[in-house]
Amino acid sequence: MDKARVAVIGSGFGGLALAIRLQAAGFQTVIFEKRDQPGGRAYVYRDNGFTFDAGPTVITAPDCLRELFNVAGKSMDRYVELLPVNPFYRLFWQDGYRFDYSDDLAMVEQQIAKKSPADVAGYKKFLSYSEEVFHEGYEKLADEPFLNWSSMVSVAPQLIRLKAYRSVYSMVAQNIRNPHLRQLFSFHSLLVGGNPFTTTSIYTLIHCLERKWGVFFPKGGTGALVEALLKLFRELGGEIRFNSEIAEIETSGGRVSGVIDRQGSKQACDLVASNADVFHTYDRLLGREPRAARMRKRLARMNYSMSLFLIYFGTRRKYPNLLHHNIIFGARYRELLWDIFSGGRLADDFSLYLHAPSRSDPDLAPPGCETFYVLSPVPHLGKLTVDWRREGARYAERILAYLEKHYMPDLRRKIVTQRIFTPQDFEVELNSHLGSAFSLEPRLLQSAYFRVHNRDKNIKGLYFVGAGTHPGAGIPGVVNSAKATARIILKDFARDLPREKPRTAEFSYA
Ligand SMILES: Cc1cc2nc3c(=O)[nH]c(=O)nc-3n(C[C@H](O)[C@H](O)[C@H](O)COP(=O)(O)OP(=O)(O)OC[C@H]3O[C@@H](n4cnc5c(N)ncnc54)[C@H](O)[C@@H]3O)c2cc1C
């Protein structure tokens, strides 16, 4: 029998992970990627000898990546080297306070004790809560496809017991009193697009996940990890087509029959897995399909994560006061987050993430130089009407001036290369609805069963993978979503698969 033919739309981490699993299991898989490089948000820019990872930089849960190589009978270590990053983050406040956060419990407690002795006990309580949530929410459920209501009902008692209806911030504040420490232990949800004041407390699990498995950075940058996944996919016989934007998912009698690209050429297939933005998929790619109408309407009403404004820049000097990952808090926290997520205002102040990868891998910058990106969360395009083509340069100048004043002396004179990426670029380049950087916001009523399902209910052969599906954004999230989607597809297409024995136990998804 011919192999079942799969079209994966998009080569983000989720798309690549699913394509690898399917190709390894015997499907004939083609990835269609709009851009000229793989990785989606993990795109790479190379300017004047500097290498800039465009998106994800904090690599956690390495085992979910390792598993992708194992399903193909390979070892990840032969493809890419993951360098440990420790301390994980250096956090800076405008009043001069600074905290180096790592997996060294004694060092963390020492810093807490120095700032607020009463909070040491509270931190321990928070840590054990985060460990419990991690066990229930990540270890048990991260790769669970929540296809039906009963799957949600079955986890409801645990969610209630863990108070998932409360926010990340409120769980932190219940245990920790000091305002700086409350910010330190609640900012993590921003890394997956969630406002700590509205994101379900389940996301405190990130705290435990980082501590348990560490924080890593691939030698050569995140792009090297993407390349490693692509190499593996190709070795398995998979195909990727770049500059190949899909314009339509073709259906016939309620079943997908192929994909059509912008140039009008059609590729017939038995199943389509979209790694593209979920709204874009239902609204544009299935715009003519009446069975998509309900989801289109539902998705139009849902809440999307904030957008981001990014500056990638290289300097002809070094800044040894910075670590690889730097979090820079502004004077306001709750109010600034309100401006970003609800108020729709481009605030005068900012909280920033500053990435300095040449701290871990000097080869990412020319000798004597350093590579950076700085990221400022900003409202998405549905909340704030700004022509970023005009505002971008001004906003970049404000951020750089702020960095120069507080953290990076002489910065603007030392910059040798610079480029920006705005909410409009998220919308245009990545087809991201409202220019959202992380897809649907990770609120309780947009999580698990309430998120976009890995398989569409009304259109046969249509599957989803990536940040818009359970468990959500972040590399571990989308790689786990690929595992969930692969498991469903393998069941749905079991009889079309080759009969020979799987190469490793990982081939059995049941
Ligand atoms: C700046 C930034 C920093 C981040 N930092 C971290 C971090 O440190 N750690 C972490 O774990 N996560 C981080 N994240 C989140 C993480 O990067 C994302 O959640 C994850 O990479 C999304 O993967 P995805 O599989 O959903 O696909 P995406 O990366 O969203 O890729 C989707 C792909 O689909 C393509 N596409 C769209 N429409 C079409 C079409 N019609 N036809 C063909 N192709 C199409 C796009 O071009 C894109 O390549 C960050 C995100 C951003 C934006």
Side-chain angles (χ1 to χ4, degrees):
M1 182 184 287
D2 285 344
K3 288 180 176 180
R5 297 156 306 167
V6 184
V8 175
I9 304 172
S11 66
F13 268 100
L16 283 169
L18 178 65
I20 287 167
R21 286 182 178 276
L22 296 181
Q23 186 67 32
F27 289 83
Q28 185 189 318
T29 312
V30 182
I31 303 177
F32 296 86
E33 170 52 56
K34 177 188 176 196
R35 302 173 96 187
D36 60 350
Q37 280 178 38
R41 274 143 171 91
Y43 194 83
V44 178
Y45 298 106
R46 289 189 176 82
D47 298 329
N48 301 324
F50 294 87
T51 303
F52 298 102
D53 281 311
T57 56
V58 182
I59 306 299
T60 53
D63 280 0
C64 72
L65 297 164
R66 218 161 259 137
E67 204 176 280
L68 295 172
F69 293 85
N70 295 344
V71 296
K74 303 280 169 95
S75 160
M76 182 165 83
D77 303 340
R78 297 180 66 107
Y79 289 74
V80 63
E81 184 187 354
L82 294 188
L83 309 167
V85 178
N86 220 345
F88 298 161
Y89 307 93
R90 176 163 286 171
L91 300 103
F92 297 88
W93 282 263
Q94 220 165 276
D95 58 10
Y97 180 58
R98 188 170 122 165
F99 195 111
D100 281 355
Y101 172 60
S102 74
D103 60 355
D104 180 338
L105 193 56
M107 197 176 114
V108 168
E109 285 184 5
Q110 224 174 50
Q111 291 175 90
I112 297 175
K114 204 165 159 206
K115 180 76 179 162
S116 171
D119 282 333
V120 175
Y123 173 66
K124 283 188 179 139
K125 274 199 215 150
F126 170 68
L127 191 55
S128 67
Y129 170 75
S130 134
E131 280 163 359
E132 206 181 341
V133 177
F134 169 78
H135 178 61
E136 292 294 336
Y138 188 86
E139 290 188 313
K140 287 192 185 167
L141 301 176
D143 58 1
E144 179 66 35
F146 283 90
L147 289 179
N148 46 49
W149 181 238
S150 61
S151 57
M152 193 70 206
V153 171
S154 70
V155 300
Q158 287 95 299
L159 293 178
I160 292 167
R161 188 173 59 77
L162 293 168
K163 302 194 171 93
Y165 47 85
R166 291 184 58 176
S167 72
V168 165
Y169 186 85
S170 89
M171 289 314 286
V172 171
Q174 178 180 312
N175 295 298
I176 293 167
R177 300 194 93 92
N178 179 274
H180 290 82
L181 300 178
R182 283 180 171 181
Q183 294 174 16
L184 156 56
F185 293 113
S186 66
F187 84 88
H188 275 96
S189 63
L190 285 162
L191 300 181
V192 291
N195 179 351
F197 291 91
T198 53
T199 297
T200 162
S201 59
I202 294 299
Y203 280 86
T204 56
L205 69 79
I206 302 175
H207 186 74
C208 170
L209 182 141
E210 283 183 350
R211 289 185 46 77
K212 191 174 165 74
W213 289 319
V215 168
F216 297 88
F217 187 67
K219 172 101 186 93
T222 307
L225 177 58
V226 170
E227 284 302 332
L229 292 172
L230 183 58
K231 181 165 184 265
L232 174 68
F233 174 63
R234 282 179 162 147
E235 281 171 4
L236 290 166
E239 185 193 344
I240 186 161
R241 296 186 199 164
F242 294 113
N243 304 306
S244 182
E245 181 173 11
I246 297 305
E248 185 175 352
I249 297 173
E250 196 186 54
T251 56
S252 162
R255 176 168 245 309
V256 301
S257 53
V259 289
I260 303 171
D261 70 16
R262 279 246 166 265
Q263 285 68 42
S265 73
K266 182 185 154 178
Q267 176 79 35
C269 59
D270 304 300
L271 71 105
V272 172
S274 180
N275 179 224
D277 180 271
V278 285
F279 183 82
H280 168 78
T281 304
Y282 279 107
D283 187 55
R284 298 285 164 82
L285 308 189
L286 291 157
R288 295 197 296 162
E289 170 55 64
R291 290 175 184 81
R294 227 189 100 248
M295 274 306 285
R296 204 160 37 235
K297 275 196 203 134
R298 196 181 142 222
L299 283 168
R301 286 194 304 266
M302 290 177 81
N303 294 301
Y304 289 80
S305 82
M306 77 292 195
S307 192
L308 300 172
F309 180 89
L310 293 121
I311 314 169
Y312 307 94
F313 59 98
T315 57
R316 61 183 148 87
R317 63 156 280 186
K318 297 195 174 198
Y319 288 93
N321 56 322
L322 301 169
L323 293 186
H324 184 143
H325 300 297
N326 307 278
I327 307 285
I328 297 175
F329 290 104
R332 303 181 308 148
Y333 189 56
R334 183 194 292 264
E335 299 78 7
L336 177 60
L337 289 169
W338 195 86
D339 282 345
I340 295 166
F341 283 88
S342 309
R345 204 171 75 83
L346 190 60
D348 295 329
D349 51 345
F350 2 72
S351 277
L352 305 169
Y353 162 66
L354 177 60
H355 183 225
S358 33
R359 304 266 104 200
S360 296
D361 183 355
D363 292 347
L364 298 175
C369 300
E370 279 206 279
T371 295
F372 294 99
Y373 87 53
V374 61
L375 156 176
S376 171
V378 293
H380 66 54
L381 299 171
K383 301 234 183 258
L384 173 72
T385 329
V386 156
D387 181 357
W388 282 104
R389 275 175 296 255
R390 291 158 63 105
E391 182 60 31
R394 245 196 323 255
Y395 193 60
E397 180 59 21
R398 275 174 49 201
I399 293 175
L400 294 174
Y402 177 81
L403 286 176
E404 182 173 286
K405 183 168 170 201
H406 296 283
Y407 305 102
M408 303 178 77
D410 213 15
L411 173 61
R412 284 170 295 174
R413 279 194 333 115
K414 297 294 178 188
I415 290 180
V416 288
T417 179
Q418 176 182 335
R419 61 163 69 222
I420 62 172
F421 198 83
T422 76
Q424 261 156 359
D425 294 318
F426 276 97
E427 184 177 58
V428 174
E429 279 276 314
L430 287 156
N431 290 336
S432 185
H433 184 48
L434 306 174
S436 155
F438 302 89
S439 190
L440 296 167
E441 236 188 283
R443 296 167 176 236
L444 186 58
L445 291 180
Q446 297 196 155
S447 298
Y449 174 76
F450 303 113
R451 225 166 164 82
V452 172
H453 294 176
N454 306 59
R455 178 179 65 202
D456 185 86
K457 211 163 73 181
N458 301 313
I459 304 168
K460 285 206 164 45
L462 177 62
Y463 300 83
F464 287 88
V465 64
T469 61
H470 171 76
I475 294 174
V478 302
V479 169
N480 274 299
S481 89
K483 188 172 181 181
T485 306
R487 191 185 288 147
I488 306 169
I489 293 175
L490 265 106
K491 266 192 191 146
D492 291 352
F493 286 78
R495 63 189 172 79
D496 297 341
L497 290 173
R499 292 236 178 84
E500 69 263 25
K501 278 210 155 166
R503 261 170 277 179
T504 73
E506 282 294 341
F507 271 70
S508 141
Y509 292 89

